[in-house]
Amino acid sequence: MSENLEAVRIQLEHELDVSRGDVIAAADYVAKLPYVDPQRIYLGGHSTGGTLVMLAAEASPVFRASFAFGPVTSPERYPDGLAPPGLDKASEAERMLRAPWHWLPSVASRLLVIEGEGGNIGELRAMQRINRNPRVTFHEVKGADHFSVLAPIN
């Protein structure tokens, strides 16, 4: 990770996405339950949730593995009308912080990024091209789109 990206991350650490913090806090809580094996906590999300999964996986090694279905590389890449609220007012540093492709080297546990070939496949391929982290893998699902990629396999 470049020094500039690390400086941005440190500078904005207290402003990290509340949702991401909630996901990690929930995992910490679940890990303390007597009937849960803390070594077998998994996380999954779709679309905006897939992007959030990537950000959580990059922030904490608490998950044994994470599954991000149909995430975007950066919040600016959401289709018109689907961007997170307030994005238009966010600083460049905050937008960078919310762009999971900047933080791929930081992922400390297994992360599978999955998308149907008829979905946001350009986003998956863009991340795949720049990724050098062996814990992160990318999977294109033939015959599926952004939504049907979640359908059960029959």
Side-chain angles (χ1 to χ4, degrees):
M1 181 180 317
S2 77
E3 288 181 34
N4 184 36
L5 288 178
E6 184 62 20
V8 168
R9 190 171 198 155
I10 290 168
Q11 173 188 2
L12 296 175
E13 191 161 302
H14 67 283
E15 298 176 17
L16 287 176
D17 182 48
V18 173
S19 297
R20 179 173 76 177
D22 288 347
V23 169
I24 295 167
D28 290 341
Y29 172 80
V30 167
K32 293 174 185 163
L33 295 173
Y35 50 86
V36 172
D37 179 346
Q39 301 301 310
R40 294 185 179 188
I41 298 174
Y42 296 84
L43 179 64
H46 175 253
S47 202
T48 301
T51 302
L52 178 59
V53 162
M54 290 186 73
L55 293 170
E58 293 158 357
S60 174
V62 70
F63 305 104
R64 183 167 186 173
S66 299
F67 304 87
F69 292 87
V72 294
T73 57
S74 175
E76 290 89 3
R77 303 290 297 165
Y78 284 108
D80 288 340
L82 297 178
L87 180 64
D88 56 333
K89 296 177 180 74
S91 69
E92 182 179 339
E94 184 175 353
R95 287 191 306 271
M96 182 186 298
L97 191 64
R98 293 172 181 262
W101 69 339
H102 289 297
W103 312 112
L104 288 171
S106 302
V107 174
S109 58
R110 186 95 162 92
L111 171 61
L112 291 84
V113 183
I114 304 161
E115 179 60 295
E117 67 181 352
N120 293 334
I121 203 65
E123 297 295 297
L124 180 141
R125 290 174 181 162
M127 288 186 275
Q128 186 174 28
R129 276 192 301 276
I130 66 161
N131 180 54
R132 299 292 175 263
N133 186 337
R135 289 177 291 278
V136 182
T137 57
F138 299 86
H139 307 272
E140 295 184 27
V141 180
K142 296 200 180 306
D145 63 26
H146 184 67
F147 298 99
S148 66
V149 71
L150 296 172
I153 299 173
N154 293 322

